[in-house]
Amino acid sequence: MTNPAPTTTTAPPAGVDALIEAVLAGEHGPLPSGLTATSVFWIHHGTRLAGGDTTYLNQYVLVRLGGAFGGCAFEAGEIDPAICRDSSGAPLDVLLREAPRPLRIAALDAYLALRHPHRDSGAEPVTLPAGTPEVRARARDAAIAGLLDIDRGAAVGLIGVVNPLVAAIRERGGAPLPCDFNLRTTQWGDPVTTDMHEVLERADAVVATGMTLSNGSFDTILDRCRTRGIPLVVYAQSGSAVARAFLGAGVTALSAEPFPFSQFSADPTILYRYRTAAPA
């Protein structure tokens, strides 16, 4: 059974920028001007799973804020490694106001995770087993697909494609509509579109990666799913606590995976699942 996010008296945000402004105004806790980003760092890594022909290239910028980490993926060349030197030790409000968008999301993620750690939020912890990258990826993506409450044959928009998740959606009975800026086909030859709007119009449910927070498409996805009244599941390493702020306000379920992410360990690690009531 999955569980809701922590309750709050703050009105649900209309979008990510509105959430940042609310945090800067002290509506979600202490003023960020009184907090310091102890460490800003980034990770660049590649992965090719056994049996696949796709090399996933991922870059993350991360912020350490007290006892919490925030993270956000970004596209190659979007920010420079010098940002780590320039931003470590900066007041958090400066990052939220002035940093490139991926770092703003990472800083916001760290703030919200510090206020309400996933481990203390009442979410359902799912332990990914020890093992190879393939074993762990399949377990993670089965946990994500398990948040889908769909009829067999339902069209599931997948915005941000990883092959094990395509397979997990099919095993759940869904018909994936894959969309990604960097891939052209899935491992099985399914065409991958770059037209997110086409997918959002055709889908009976949508599964979107936290990377949409970084590239600015999250608000569009959120608004379209709200308008159409279809479920939106977010699977987030990027901005997992940010996406959580929209549960019940367009996001119907969330698989939250805070840093350190599962691909950086061969030991058991935990992700956190949240679910709200499906749209009427």
Side-chain angles (χ1 to χ4, degrees):
M1 179 178 179
T2 48
N3 300 286
T7 57
T8 177
T9 57
T10 304
V16 175
D17 288 345
L19 177 58
I20 291 174
E21 290 304 316
V23 166
L24 285 167
E27 295 177 16
H28 289 262
L31 287 171
S33 56
L35 302 173
T36 299
T38 306
S39 177
V40 173
F41 58 106
W42 78 347
I43 298 173
H44 183 184
H45 73 104
T47 300
R48 177 173 289 198
L49 298 175
D53 58 2
T54 300
T55 301
Y56 302 99
L57 297 175
N58 300 106
Q59 296 82 215
Y60 299 92
V61 63
L62 299 117
V63 173
R64 177 73 181 267
L65 180 66
F69 289 90
C72 186
F74 61 92
E75 297 288 352
E78 194 173 0
I79 59 177
D80 186 273
I83 205 165
C84 302
R85 177 195 62 216
D86 297 340
S87 300
S88 294
L92 195 71
D93 67 313
V94 173
L95 299 187
L96 290 172
R97 295 181 194 278
E98 302 176 9
R101 185 174 183 86
L103 181 49
R104 292 176 73 204
I105 297 298
L108 179 63
D109 190 37
Y111 178 91
L112 296 173
L114 182 66
R115 295 291 297 142
H116 297 290
H118 291 293
R119 63 181 176 272
D120 299 332
S121 66
E124 176 199 10
V126 177
T127 300
L128 303 180
T132 65
E134 293 76 21
V135 166
R136 288 170 58 75
R138 285 194 295 270
R140 182 197 66 183
D141 292 341
I144 296 167
L147 290 168
L148 282 168
D149 184 12
I150 53 173
D151 296 327
R152 182 160 293 277
V156 179
L158 177 57
I159 300 176
V161 176
V162 288
N163 284 313
L165 186 49
V166 174
I169 289 171
R170 284 203 173 104
E171 290 169 6
R172 190 75 177 173
L177 301 175
C179 176
D180 198 286
F181 289 133
N182 298 313
L183 297 179
R184 293 298 170 262
T185 64
T186 70
Q187 180 180 338
W188 303 275
D190 309 285
V192 177
T193 183
T194 59
D195 188 346
M196 176 183 72
H197 300 283
E198 174 193 1
V199 168
L200 291 174
E201 293 307 313
R202 293 175 56 197
D204 300 308
V206 172
V207 179
T209 175
M211 179 69 177
T212 58
L213 292 161
S214 176
N215 64 27
S217 60
F218 178 82
D219 284 1
T220 299
I221 297 166
L222 186 74
D223 179 69
R224 197 65 198 129
C225 291
R226 282 170 173 165
T227 300
R228 293 192 58 217
I230 61 174
L232 171 58
V233 176
V234 179
Y235 66 103
Q237 293 182 334
S238 295
S240 60
V242 178
R244 183 180 62 187
F246 295 90
L247 279 163
V251 173
T252 51
L254 169 65
S255 173
E257 193 178 334
F259 185 81
F261 308 137
S262 59
Q263 63 265 42
F264 302 135
S265 177
D267 295 324
T269 56
I270 297 174
L271 61 78
Y272 299 89
R273 299 202 306 180
Y274 301 82
R275 188 192 295 274
T276 65

